[in-house]
Amino acid sequence: MTLKNTTTSRPAGDGKPTSFLQRSAPIAAACSAVPALAASALALWSGPGADYAEIFPPPWLGTVGVVLLAVALLTRATGREAVAHAAAWTSSAVLLGASGGVLLDAFRGFFAVTGIPAGTFSEIDLPGAIARAAALIASFTAVQLARRIRAETGSARGVASGRRHRRLRTLGLLLCVPYPLLKLAWWAQGDESAYAVGFPVMEIVLFGAAAVGIIVLTAPSIRVFPRGLVAAAGWSAAFALLSMGALMVFGVLAQVTHLAAATLTFDDGDRTVLVMGVYGTWLLLGATLAAATVRYEEGVPAAPDGDRMIDAKGRRG
């Protein structure tokens, strides 16, 4: 059975980039590597500028990520696509780990700039914040470079089953529930709870927006917003969540191995499990949003249920 791509986008895996992000990926990756390397070196030289940053992954992790990104660019230029593809994905993961905590930097920076009374929460590790932001941008360009290499080698999938689209949507919607539900449970317990919090308005709004985004990204029939705006929102939300999830993964590893300035203790086992669970759902939701954004951006159509994926060379997946 032959399935045709009826979208206006180029079929994935035909050797040509399918979007502007992929077409500009090599240049963007090279340009983002330079400030990421410089910012990492500055943060490493200056040390943590505030106590909160002592639990974050060490700044030199950004340098490792940049080196891997350079390897990806060089090996792609010399025709070793398999090595380049692996290096690009590895670079993205390492740089994502180096960016862990960038959203916390942003919140602290907001209070520092506006002058809103927030106590120590208005203190910011400026060199580290710049390094983490630069690492996040470089991580994004590394992902686009990996997608570019994947398209050039003809290994990208051209058609996905309708069932896979629905599974992606279902997974994303389910992952939007745990954190707001947890905050609602704490709020319902009142001030006597060990986790006394106010009504979680922002949590419900933000994760509700993420749920709407998942639906828009995975439902081809919904065309309410411009495609570029939807893709930009998808990537922004995905990498914000991935960065927070990476903070848990790489931050814990850095503390356990004593690479971070502060070390992690497991005296309160319940609290540790809770924190890891919350950050874990953010990491999974970020990955789901990223996958949905890729499919949306490339215009991957949904095949009828029961049909298997077929790649650009006509092979069934």
Side-chain angles (χ1 to χ4, degrees):
M1 179 177 180
T2 302
L3 299 177
K4 297 180 179 179
N5 187 335
T6 58
T7 66
T8 56
S9 301
R10 293 188 183 99
D14 65 353
K16 300 177 182 178
T18 58
S19 68
F20 170 77
L21 289 175
Q22 288 185 49
R23 290 193 295 273
S24 60
I27 295 176
C31 291
S32 67
V34 176
L37 181 62
S40 175
L42 176 62
L44 187 61
W45 174 75
S46 64
D51 291 342
Y52 76 93
E54 292 184 351
I55 65 171
F56 290 175
W60 55 259
L61 194 63
T63 302
V64 175
V66 170
V67 170
L68 289 168
L69 185 54
V71 170
L73 289 166
L74 291 172
T75 51
R76 173 183 173 270
T78 57
R80 290 175 287 178
E81 290 85 359
V83 176
H85 190 239
W89 279 118
T90 306
S91 169
S92 175
V94 173
L95 287 166
L96 195 61
S99 77
V102 68
L103 288 188
L104 300 179
D105 293 326
F107 281 117
R108 287 174 172 269
F110 170 78
F111 287 110
V113 170
T114 60
I116 298 175
T120 57
F121 201 72
S122 61
E123 298 176 0
I124 183 170
D125 169 28
L126 188 57
I130 295 173
R132 287 184 281 274
L136 186 64
I137 294 171
S139 176
F140 176 73
T141 64
V143 167
Q144 304 310 319
L145 178 64
R147 293 176 61 205
R148 164 91 183 234
I149 297 169
R150 188 166 178 255
E152 290 172 341
T153 56
S155 59
R157 299 287 187 175
V159 177
S161 69
R163 186 177 293 109
R164 285 177 179 264
H165 279 265
R166 285 199 297 275
R167 286 176 178 173
L168 193 63
R169 180 163 59 249
T170 301
L171 177 61
L173 293 175
L174 288 175
L175 289 169
C176 289
V177 174
Y179 188 57
L181 186 62
L182 176 65
K183 284 303 202 64
L184 279 171
W186 287 349
W187 168 75
Q189 292 173 17
D191 295 336
E192 302 301 323
S193 169
Y195 302 96
V197 297
F199 187 78
V201 176
M202 289 306 299
E203 288 84 349
I204 292 175
V205 170
L206 291 175
F207 280 83
V212 172
I214 282 287
I215 293 172
V216 172
L217 287 167
T218 57
S221 59
I222 299 179
R223 291 292 181 265
V224 179
F225 307 103
R227 290 185 63 84
L229 179 62
V230 173
W235 281 121
S236 298
F239 269 77
L241 288 162
L242 285 169
S243 178
M244 289 300 292
L247 172 59
M248 183 269 292
V249 175
F250 285 85
V252 167
L253 288 175
Q255 292 176 65
V256 169
T257 57
H258 300 284
L259 294 175
T263 56
L264 180 69
T265 60
F266 295 93
D267 296 337
D268 190 344
D270 292 342
R271 187 183 293 269
T272 301
V273 171
L274 180 63
V275 169
M276 290 185 176
V278 167
Y279 277 68
T281 60
W282 292 354
L283 185 65
L284 291 174
L285 179 57
T288 303
L289 273 166
T293 304
V294 168
R295 292 190 178 282
Y296 180 89
E297 189 179 48
E298 295 183 352
V300 177
D305 286 346
D307 288 328
R308 303 175 68 189
M309 292 196 302
I310 301 176
D311 65 17
K313 297 180 181 179
R315 298 174 300 203
R316 291 184 178 275

